[in-house]
Every structure is written in structure tokens, then in C-alpha cells.
Amino acid sequence: LVTLGQYEVAEGLAKAAREDNVMSHLLNYQGAMREVSAFTADPQSGQKIKARFDLVCRYDGDPDLLKQIPDWKSGDVIIPDIKTSESQSPEQFIVRDVVNFGYWISGALYRKVFSLVTGYMPRFWWLVLAKDKDGDFHSYVATLHDDDWMAAALEVDQQLMDLARSNLGGKFISPFANRVNIGRLPHYLRSGGK
């Protein structure tokens, strides 16, 4: 069940999305694929990896979309990831949410999975819906600079290699090992299910 308050927040966020030109175009884009799952293996570590994209938008010459995203080239792909936040600007979202909640890692993993499956490196954007302290709703698009995406990609590669090594020894080496206990993997998560 949804409370009246929850319904009003959802309505406010939906209205903010409809009123944002870029977000509205991407969410309503006829050529978009929604809730797309992709599965592959990392060629360096051998680890199986997967992603479930909220949306995959490939530019196919739609002049209305080109007006909203003028630097799109034919065939360009954007993977928008829809998020809610209390951050009121793209800069605040990057500093507060992307870093604190690890969105930069999941974004880099999404880009990696997509590029391994398709051979094409997509753009990755967060479509952010926010409610401020005054109860007003906002929407904006946020992304990282290329250098930040490269750093995130290196971190993903390192974590996949750590996972591959841990599978060999049957112990999970957490990227947060200095903050949590290292535990033994259950048999069904070890390579070969042994």
C-alpha cells in the first residue's frame, strides 16, 4: 500500500521528470529499450558479470532529441540510470551520492558490461529526481568527466581481479576488507560450486 504522502512525492517527482526536456525525451524516447539485462565475462579475470540497465537509448536521427542533446552523433548510445536524491544540483549529487553510495563503481561496471557485449562504449548519465527541504521537486542530469570514468573503470577491473583471486582460494576479499571481517565464501559461490 502507498500512503497519501508517498503518492504525492511520486507525483511530484514524475512531474519534475516530465518538465525536464532532456529527461522527458530520454524517458519517452520511442527507440529506447527499457529494463535491459546483459551478461558476459570479464576477459581479464574470467569473472561472470552482469548489468540491468534502466534504459538504453541509441540515437537514430530523431531531430527532437538532437535539439535536447546537440552533441549526439548517429549511433551514440546513452545509458541513463534513474536515481532519487536529496541533492539539489548535479555537482552536489556527484560529491554526495555518487561517491558515498558507490554509483561511480556501478556506472563503470554498466559501461564495461555494455562495451563487452556490444563492442561500443556508451555514455552513462544519472537522471536525478530530487525533493528539497521546502518540498519542491527538481530534476537534472549528472555524469562524470572522462578522467573520472577511467579511474572508476580501473577500480572495477581491480575488484574483478580480487574477486577472481578470492574464488581460487575460497575466501572473499572485500574491497572494504579494512572495515569488515573477511569471511569464507559459501560453496555455491565458489568457482565450480565446490
Side-chain angles (χ1 to χ4, degrees):
L1 293 177
V2 176
T3 68
L4 179 60
Q6 292 168 328
Y7 177 80
E8 289 171 347
V9 168
E11 278 292 311
L13 294 173
K15 183 176 185 244
R18 286 190 300 272
E19 291 174 354
D20 182 286
N21 287 335
V22 172
M23 194 175 297
S24 178
H25 270 86
L26 289 174
L27 292 173
N28 295 303
Y29 187 47
Q30 293 301 312
M33 295 179 288
R34 289 158 178 79
E35 297 298 327
V36 177
S37 296
F39 306 86
T40 190
D42 176 49
Q44 294 170 324
S45 68
Q47 292 298 299
K48 293 178 184 177
I49 52 178
K50 62 184 177 180
R52 184 158 177 94
F53 312 113
D54 291 343
L55 212 55
V56 176
C57 299
R58 182 183 182 110
Y59 178 62
D60 62 2
D62 177 347
D64 289 332
L65 193 56
L66 187 59
K67 289 176 192 170
Q68 303 305 320
I69 310 166
D71 61 336
W72 254 23
K73 298 178 209 73
S74 182
D76 270 3
V77 175
I78 292 179
I79 297 178
D81 192 30
I82 302 164
K83 297 289 184 202
T84 58
S85 176
E86 294 176 2
S87 298
Q88 300 306 304
S89 70
E91 298 78 16
Q92 187 183 26
F93 175 76
I94 296 292
V95 169
R96 182 182 166 269
D97 299 37
V98 170
V99 172
N100 290 340
F101 300 128
Y103 294 161
W104 62 288
I105 295 291
S106 59
L109 182 65
Y110 281 18
R111 285 171 44 112
K112 180 180 189 84
V113 169
F114 190 89
S115 69
L116 288 171
V117 169
T118 67
Y120 181 82
M121 181 60 74
R123 297 180 189 201
F124 186 92
W125 291 354
W126 291 282
L127 304 182
V128 184
L129 299 166
K131 180 181 176 187
D132 66 23
K133 292 176 179 134
D134 296 327
D136 295 324
F137 298 97
H138 307 275
S139 60
Y140 52 87
V141 176
T143 192
L144 297 179
H145 297 288
D146 288 343
D147 290 348
D148 296 323
W149 280 125
M150 289 192 311
L154 291 172
E155 179 65 25
V156 165
D157 289 344
Q158 182 61 53
Q159 287 187 19
L160 288 169
M161 292 304 290
D162 288 348
L163 186 59
R165 282 192 293 278
S166 68
N167 277 341
L168 292 174
K171 286 195 173 194
F172 175 64
I173 303 170
S174 168
F176 309 104
N178 60 340
R179 290 186 260 163
V180 297
N181 293 329
I182 298 175
R184 188 146 179 84
L185 282 175
H187 69 83
Y188 55 86
L189 290 178
R190 293 185 211 149
S191 294
K194 300 175 186 172

